[in-house]
Structure formats: structure tokens, C-alpha cells
Amino acid sequence: MSKAKTTYFCQNCGAQSPKWVGRCPSCGEWNTFVEEVIQRGEEVKTPGIISTSTQRAVKPQLVNEISIGKEHRIPLGDKELDRVLGGGLVPGSLVLFGGEPGIGKSTLMLQLAVNLKNIKVLYVSGEESEQQIRMRAERIGMNNETCYILTETSTQNIFKQIEQLEPQLLIIDSIQTLHSAHIESSPGSVSQIRECAGEILRYAKESGTPVFLIGHITKDGSLAGPKVLEHMVDTVLQFEGDRNHVYRLLRTIKNRFGSTNELGIYEMQGNGLREVSNPSEILISNREEQVSGVAIAATMEGMRPMLIETQALVSSAAYGTPQRSSTGFDLRRLAMLLAVLEKRCGFRLGAKDVFLNLAGGIKVEDPAIDLAVVCAVLSSNEDIPIASKVCFAAEVGLSGEIRPVSRIDQRISEAEKLGFEQIFISKYNKKGLDPKKYNIQITMVGKIEEVFGLLFG
Ligand code: TYD
Ligand code: MG
């Protein structure tokens, strides 16, 4: 019997070291190295389901001679999820589904499991009891006779059940609760996560069964566990949103079978998550009277156009230092836009409090929202409302110039579709654009002063 082999792992980033070190050389965190047993003394037997295919001799093949057959995808019956996955689930694929605690990961996966028709699903939970899951399934309304629930955390036992049941889809909630007998360290540690994910990966590839792995997210927004987990899986989906709001965004971070530009939107309701097929309609509040400080931005989330309401409040600072706060929009970018307004355009905002808020608790990184933010701030500062059928799509540069943005025709079409009458875009977006094609007035501007003159002058 050989000696047990151990090594030290950084619990923050997964870096390895043969001896203990106080500070991780790769991520710089202090006191994160923990000794983990990576191989037990005795010889471990691989469970029956995992054959040693790696030992099979594989010959190189000409790429055009490799048969792919007809691409086969399993439709999940959930339009948002299907789209995000690139048109359905690919057999044998391993999908990592990450998100903060309480965001609705278990809800979405259970909803998927109990609503899939004619597909045998095994939902393995290491976090909740069968009763809890049953109660939740009733709450979200089940109509299924082929969904099995298993509360188990040992991968060996899970594989034993899988051998008997032969499910066509496996859902694991969550990877951090699993443990494998091949490794001694505790569940959730870097080496356990890696080993369990590795076993599941081999199972998925060899049996052709697609697997969803639910994973937790750490405070800083990255998936808990080592980066290797992200490298191992085929697709990484992230579920995000503000827990105090009802909207949830489903993003693709990585996808070996489709683009990463897709976005799914859900609304959390009393009876589960509902797909939102037209996001723009819910992100714009329909109010009767016009108020100042509101501007609508025509943004893109990946490939999806979305009109979002930006609200700003500018008021004289009550205390010496003016406050700047923003939800859904990068605070540093707001500071930059305010500096541009102050320095290039002569608006005196230095001594004022500025608050910015995007509707629906949604975060936007598309730079095309800049012009709407600037106009909302100016509208609040002047206390003059912007007409409700006007929207904006342009970036603002450091010298106050209005810069062009990508996919302008899609943004214009979306605004037109939603009944907007005027859209402000950059004059540099003119090339290749045919304004006669649209039934909406397209105003092209080059400088903030021009927009100001047109709106409030
Ligand atoms: P959950 O799926 O347990 O989150 P996660 O697995 O990501 O930790 O969902 C948690 C929240 O969702 C919970 O706080 C209550 C809410 N919820 C609803 O609002 N409606 C519902 O129908 C369900 C099942 C949950
Ligand atoms: Mg959960």
C-alpha cells in the first residue's frame, strides 16, 4: 500500500502547491492554502459505468471525413433556456448553471424537470429533502410522470442509481454538495469539486446523457470552486438579477455549441419562473403624467434589443460632498459622464447630488445607454421632462461627442415596434442606414449641446 498523496490547494483560485504557503502566488489571497488528499493509499477502482476509454487507440482522422450525423438537440420546452443554449440541449453535454444563493436556480431546474414530457429526468439534490422538493414542485405546478428525485451526495451512490434508472437527463443540485470516495477532502473543496465534476463529465460523454450542474457563486461573482470547473464543462450559464426585484437574466458565459450572445429573461412569480418574451414592455413604466429625469435607452443585451428606462435625480447637495449613486449602471462611468457634462458642456453639476436608477433592477453594460443617462441627468437638472415617445441609442465620448454604436438598425426597429416616435443616434451611425425604411423619426446628433438644444432649448 502506497502512502496517501496530498497537495495544497488555494481555496480561492484553485492554485496548487506541493507545500504550504501563506500567500497564494497566483491570486494574492492570504492564508487560503489547505492540504487535501488527492489520492488514497489503496488502489481505487473506477465504478463500472466509467470505462477506460482513454486507453483506446485513436487514430487521426481527416476533418472532412468525420461524420457528425444530423445535429440532434433536445428541445427543453422552455424558450428562453433553449435559446440561451443555442437551440436546445446537445446530448452528452455538461452545462454548469451558476448563480447567487436564492436567485432561483433550483426553481428553474425543477421547473424544467417536472415539465419535460417523455424524457426521463433524474434530479439529484444534496441541498433539500424529498418533501421540500415535492412541495416546491407542487407550487410550480407539475405535470409529469417521468421525473425522479434523489437526495444523495456521494457520486458513487448516484452512479449506482443512474445505472439502474438510466435517465435521459441528469440534474445535479449542486456540485458543491457532492463528494467522491476517491478523495478525502470535504465537499465543496477544490479537489472534491474537480474530482466530482470529472466523474460526471466522463459519465456524460460516455453515455451521451446531458447533465445540468448547479453551482454556487462567491461574493465577487465568480463561480465557487476552481476555474478548472469552467474549463471542464461545455456550457456555462449564469443566472443573475437583484433578489429584491422580480426579473432574472440568464446569460451564457461560455458555450461550445452556440453563441454566447444570447440572453434569457424570466420573471419570478408566486408559482415559479415565467418566461418574458417581450422585455421592453415591462422595463418601461407607463405613466400618465410626464416627469423630468426620465429617458429611455435602446440597448442591446447580447443579440436582444431591449428598451430600458433610466431615471436620474439631480438636487443640490445637502452636505459638503455631493453624493453620486447608481443602481444598474457603473458608478465610475456615471462619474465620467458627469465630468464630461461639467468640463466640456459647462453644466454645473459639481455641487449637486446625482442619483441614477435603471428600471427593473437590471444591470446594463452596453455603452449605448450613455446618451439616455446624460439626457436623464440634464432633464432632471433643468426640471423639463423629455417627451415620452423619444428614445436614445449612442455612446458619449470624453470630449462630449456622440459616438456610434453597434447594431443600430436593430435598435431602431425595436423602438419603432414599441411605438416610439423619435430616436436620437450618433451622426456617425449614418453610413449604411436608410432612414426612409423606418416609420420613426431618426435624429442624428454629433454633440451633447445639439441634443440639449433640441430637447430643452
Ligand atoms: P431557489 O430556487 O431556492 O434559489 P437557489 O436554488 O438559486 O438558491 O429560489 C429561492 C427563491 O425563489 C425563494 O426565496 C423564493 C422564491 N420563489 C418564488 O418567489 N416563487 C416560487 O414559485 C418559488 C419556487 C420560489
Ligand atoms: Mg438551490
Side-chain angles (χ1 to χ4, degrees):
M1 202 174 103
S2 59
K3 213 172 143 257
K5 214 168 145 192
T6 68
T7 191
Y8 292 83
F9 283 102
C10 168
Q11 299 295 306
N12 186 50
C13 69
Q16 251 188 64
S17 160
K19 60 180 195 329
W20 189 84
V21 279
R23 185 173 190 229
C24 174
S26 95
C27 69
E29 284 294 312
W30 288 93
N31 204 16
T32 52
F33 272 84
V34 171
E35 184 177 21
E36 292 181 6
V37 179
I38 52 165
Q39 204 173 48
R40 274 204 185 161
E42 67 266 29
E43 193 59 42
V44 282
K45 266 213 221 95
T46 28
I49 198 150
I50 299 161
S51 68
T52 47
S53 69
T54 39
Q55 284 163 17
R56 197 185 60 201
V58 184
K59 287 208 197 85
Q61 282 186 50
L62 279 169
V63 67
N64 56 6
E65 283 176 7
I66 299 173
S67 64
I68 41 168
K70 214 170 112 263
E71 195 195 26
H72 169 66
R73 287 183 187 246
I74 308 165
L76 296 174
D78 178 325
K79 274 199 230 88
E80 306 291 303
L81 198 54
D82 277 345
R83 189 188 28 243
V84 167
L85 288 170
L89 195 55
V90 176
S93 64
L94 188 59
V95 181
L96 181 63
F97 185 58
E100 281 178 33
I103 204 82
K105 301 182 294 298
S106 308
T107 306
L108 185 64
M109 283 296 120
L110 189 65
Q111 201 169 321
L112 172 74
V114 296
N115 286 318
L116 264 179
K117 300 235 166 61
N118 306 325
I119 293 184
K120 206 194 271 180
V121 190
L122 178 63
Y123 183 98
V124 180
S125 178
E127 307 205 325
E128 285 151 294
S129 68
E130 284 107 345
Q131 288 80 5
Q132 271 175 307
I133 298 171
R134 166 83 206 232
M135 266 156 59
R136 190 194 298 238
E138 274 183 2
R139 189 168 161 190
I140 57 188
M142 25 172 202
N143 54 13
N144 184 300
E145 269 131 45
T146 52
C147 173
Y148 294 82
I149 307 287
L150 173 69
T151 47
E152 178 61 69
T153 53
S154 149
T155 52
Q156 276 72 26
N157 291 349
I158 292 172
F159 285 128
K160 235 180 264 161
Q161 299 300 330
I162 286 175
E163 253 179 298
Q164 284 177 7
L165 192 69
E166 296 185 342
Q168 289 159 293
L169 172 65
L170 176 67
I171 298 173
I172 306 266
D173 187 4
S174 63
I175 179 74
Q176 275 91 2
T177 57
L178 291 189
H179 68 91
S180 163
H182 298 171
I183 297 255
E184 247 172 19
S185 50
S186 58
S189 65
V190 174
S191 49
Q192 269 299 1
I193 290 181
R194 187 160 39 186
E195 170 66 21
C196 296
E199 286 175 17
I200 292 167
L201 177 70
R202 256 169 292 159
Y203 159 71
K205 296 297 162 202
E206 280 167 20
S207 64
T209 315
V211 181
F212 277 104
L213 278 182
I214 295 182
H216 294 288
I217 271 185
T218 54
K219 267 190 268 115
D220 60 354
S222 62
L223 277 152
K227 260 282 188 251
V228 278
L229 193 53
E230 280 181 49
H231 290 298
M232 282 162 96
V233 301
D234 298 307
T235 304
V236 181
L237 301 181
Q238 189 155 319
F239 210 33
E240 55 188 51
D242 188 332
R243 243 185 300 168
N244 302 321
H245 283 83
V246 291
Y247 299 112
R248 303 281 184 270
L249 300 188
L250 184 62
R251 282 181 208 280
T252 342
I253 309 281
K254 160 183 175 178
N255 194 355
R256 287 191 183 141
F257 309 110
S259 100
T260 51
N261 282 329
E262 296 297 351
L263 176 86
I265 304 175
Y266 291 91
E267 187 178 355
M268 181 62 101
Q269 295 184 336
N271 55 355
L273 288 151
R274 189 183 65 89
E275 300 161 28
V276 174
S277 44
N278 193 349
S280 302
E281 277 175 8
I282 51 169
L283 294 173
I284 299 171
S285 46
N286 293 316
R287 58 168 72 80
E288 304 275 286
E289 54 179 319
Q290 293 194 350
V291 286
S292 65
V294 174
I296 312 286
T299 66
M300 296 285 295
E301 273 294 332
M303 305 291 279
R304 254 179 126 171
M306 222 160 53
L307 274 87
I308 294 185
E309 186 173 299
T310 61
Q311 303 171 338
L313 182 67
V314 179
S315 69
S316 307
Y319 303 103
T321 351
Q323 294 188 48
R324 267 84 218 265
S325 113
S326 117
T327 33
F329 186 73
D330 183 23
L331 193 56
R332 269 174 299 179
R333 184 128 193 117
L334 175 64
M336 184 216 100
L337 293 176
L338 293 177
V340 168
L341 286 179
E342 178 102 31
K343 177 99 182 168
R344 304 278 176 201
C345 314
F347 295 102
R348 310 202 52 82
L349 298 166
K352 301 213 168 148
D353 288 341
V354 179
F355 305 99
L356 187 77
N357 185 23
L358 300 192
I362 284 189
K363 273 199 200 73
V364 177
E365 269 159 27
D366 181 5
I369 196 173
D370 284 359
L371 187 58
V373 169
V374 163
C375 290
V377 168
L378 291 177
S379 161
S380 177
N381 193 40
E382 302 294 315
D383 203 15
I384 302 174
I386 297 171
S388 62
K389 293 285 173 209
V390 173
C391 63
F392 306 86
E395 189 181 335
V396 174
L398 281 181
S399 60
E401 82 274 21
I402 311 275
R403 303 176 58 181
V405 289
S406 61
R407 302 181 190 277
I408 194 71
D409 22 352
Q410 253 172 293
R411 300 175 198 263
I412 298 174
S413 307
E414 178 77 4
E416 181 190 355
K417 206 171 80 195
L418 289 167
F420 281 84
E421 286 156 10
Q422 187 179 20
I423 181 166
F424 283 83
I425 66 168
S426 163
K427 66 177 182 194
Y428 305 105
N429 256 135
K430 197 172 181 177
K431 224 171 87 193
L433 190 73
D434 178 14
K436 282 190 236 73
K437 228 170 62 185
Y438 305 97
N439 191 16
I440 176 173
Q441 187 191 343
I442 300 172
T443 310
M444 300 192 201
V445 283
K447 278 202 145 53
I448 292 182
E449 289 91 329
E450 280 174 52
V451 188
F452 185 83
L454 289 169
L455 288 175
F456 315 109

